[in-house]
Amino acid sequence: MAIEPRPDELLSSWLHRLAFANGVAPRSFAGVLGRGEGMWSARLDLQVPHDVTTLLKQQAAVAAEALSAMTMAGQVLTPLLLPLRENAGRNRSTWMQYCPLCFVADEAPYFRRRWRLATRISCLVHGCGLRDRCPACRSGIASFGQSELIPQHFCARCGFDLRRAAKVSVKAAARLLERCIDDICKVEMAKGSTMIGSLVSRLLRAPVVAGVGSGKTLTNLSAAARIRCFEQLAAKPYDRLVAGNDTAAAHWRHLILDAGGHDGLVARLADFMEKDRRSATPERFRLPDADLPALLEAYLRVMALRPDRVFAGERDLLPLADLEPLPLQS
Ligand SMILES: [Zn+2]
Ligand SMILES: [Zn+2]
């Protein structure tokens, strides 16, 4: 039986659904694909061997392009992926995150590619924090090891229905920072920028800047710790994160200016600043015009200095929440 991949679905998620639809538990499906034990499907997310592609093309009626679009292979953002880790200590990262409300809305719950990134801390659709563990038994997602015929939104260790996990709240300022970082990465990738490497290493060191996680890099922190990290950062001038010196800052502004055609970034920033202007923001924080570099600079400044005042609540983010994120690959 063939299964249609869902928007932004991760290969492993699709494989688990494919197995389920064919009456095979994921753990046994590993054998069907000639894979070994452990995190077999999560490893396929990073690289699909030729024999697996051939087999799936023949047996699951899926195009090679559709398969590779589901992977996280060959991306410049690879260093930001949560590391594959079968068992994680309390404050450490697990390999996968999820939004319980997305699962509720899904006809057949599935895992999104964007949830693999350490820079993602919340759901853009539902505004809640992402989770990286089963709230009942605290273990990470382990669908690859499921030996019974149970859909992947049930914890493979204890059977808890992950759709029932309580909503995690994230401060609006932290969510906006997350979105801005996401946009920055997309712009840089679309430009094929050589700055992306330095941006990625800055992002990895974000917990140090935020004073969260005692020296661990972003990818090694649990979802809860990364949310704390982003909330701390949103309360600081985070241009330290995106520009280490004047040259980098100039280059950065140049990139944003060049990205005038990047509708998403422009629209989001403009939309945000427009709302900001209408609110009771002090005169000195208002913008003289709508030119983009000035807009972004002011956005960073306002963000750093007035997080509580500017990000008054959910209301400010609502129009943005409807935007479906772009694919990760450039
Ligand atoms: Zn969601
Ligand atoms: Zn559990």
Side-chain angles (χ1 to χ4, degrees):
M1 184 193 259
I3 288 285
E4 193 68 27
R6 303 297 302 147
D8 197 41
E9 182 162 19
L10 189 64
L11 179 66
S12 53
S13 167
W14 177 78
L15 287 170
H16 300 151
R17 290 199 304 119
L18 180 69
F20 181 79
N22 287 281
V24 183
R27 194 172 184 159
S28 314
F29 198 63
V32 175
L33 295 179
R35 301 295 100 197
E37 298 266 285
M39 307 182 79
W40 65 273
S41 52
R43 282 195 298 273
L44 289 178
D45 289 336
L46 302 176
Q47 192 180 16
V48 192
H50 193 66
D51 61 308
V52 174
T53 305
T54 309
L55 192 66
L56 288 169
K57 263 166 58 185
Q58 287 165 355
Q59 304 294 321
V62 64
E65 297 74 44
L67 275 179
S68 72
M70 285 190 278
T71 69
M72 308 297 290
Q75 281 198 34
V76 280
L77 296 186
T78 300
L80 294 175
L81 293 177
L82 294 162
L84 299 191
R85 187 178 281 145
E86 217 168 327
N87 295 298
R90 238 171 74 83
N91 293 316
R92 297 201 78 191
S93 57
T94 71
W95 75 287
M96 175 56 87
Q97 312 183 84
Y98 66 96
C99 165
L101 296 176
C102 281
F103 283 169
V104 170
D106 288 344
E107 199 180 317
Y110 69 97
F111 289 85
R112 277 72 167 164
R113 290 167 71 246
R114 55 182 175 269
W115 292 345
R116 288 281 287 110
L117 285 170
T119 44
R120 300 310 286 261
I121 55 160
S122 75
C123 172
L124 297 191
V125 180
H126 298 106
C128 55
L130 297 179
R131 287 181 165 273
D132 62 355
R133 283 165 165 76
C134 163
C137 72
R138 311 302 302 161
S139 57
I141 302 297
S143 322
F144 45 81
Q146 176 62 266
S147 55
E148 293 171 59
L149 206 56
I150 294 172
Q152 58 186 343
H153 60 282
F154 290 91
C155 173
R157 305 253 192 254
C158 77
F160 182 85
D161 184 346
L162 299 174
R163 292 175 301 187
R164 289 174 46 222
K167 192 172 170 172
V168 174
S169 71
V170 182
K171 285 187 182 142
R175 284 162 45 208
L176 201 55
L177 170 61
E178 173 192 17
R179 194 165 307 201
C180 192
I181 288 173
D182 191 44
D183 281 332
I184 289 167
C185 289
K186 281 172 192 155
V187 171
E188 301 254 344
M189 281 191 300
K191 301 286 296 174
S193 164
T194 51
M195 286 290 285
I196 195 83
S198 117
L199 174 63
V200 164
S201 54
R202 280 170 205 286
L203 289 170
L204 287 172
R205 287 197 306 272
V208 178
V209 177
V212 171
S214 45
K216 286 201 196 86
T217 55
L218 193 66
T219 48
N220 282 303
L221 294 184
S222 67
R226 279 179 289 112
I227 288 172
R228 268 204 312 284
C229 172
F230 273 54
E231 287 182 343
Q232 287 291 323
L233 285 175
K236 289 185 181 200
Y238 80 89
D239 49 3
R240 280 161 64 188
L241 199 71
V242 294
N245 54 51
D246 288 347
T247 321
H251 185 68
W252 157 243
R253 280 194 292 274
H254 181 67
L255 279 173
I256 295 295
L257 185 61
D258 273 3
H262 190 279
D263 298 339
L265 183 60
V266 179
R268 286 171 195 199
L269 288 172
D271 191 16
F272 167 71
M273 296 313 296
E274 188 53 38
K275 278 179 201 327
D276 178 45
R277 198 174 286 155
R278 283 200 298 270
S279 72
T281 309
E283 186 68 40
R284 65 202 162 99
F285 291 119
R286 289 187 196 168
L287 290 170
D289 55 47
D291 119 79
L292 191 58
L295 206 74
L296 192 74
E297 274 190 296
Y299 163 74
L300 291 169
R301 218 180 308 125
V302 169
M303 181 88 143
L305 299 178
R306 319 286 299 194
D308 297 325
R309 180 154 198 156
V310 177
F311 307 97
E314 301 284 312
R315 190 173 40 82
D316 291 337
L317 288 173
L318 275 180
L320 308 177
D322 295 327
L323 295 171
E324 191 45 35
L326 297 170
L328 289 169
Q329 255 159 336
S330 55

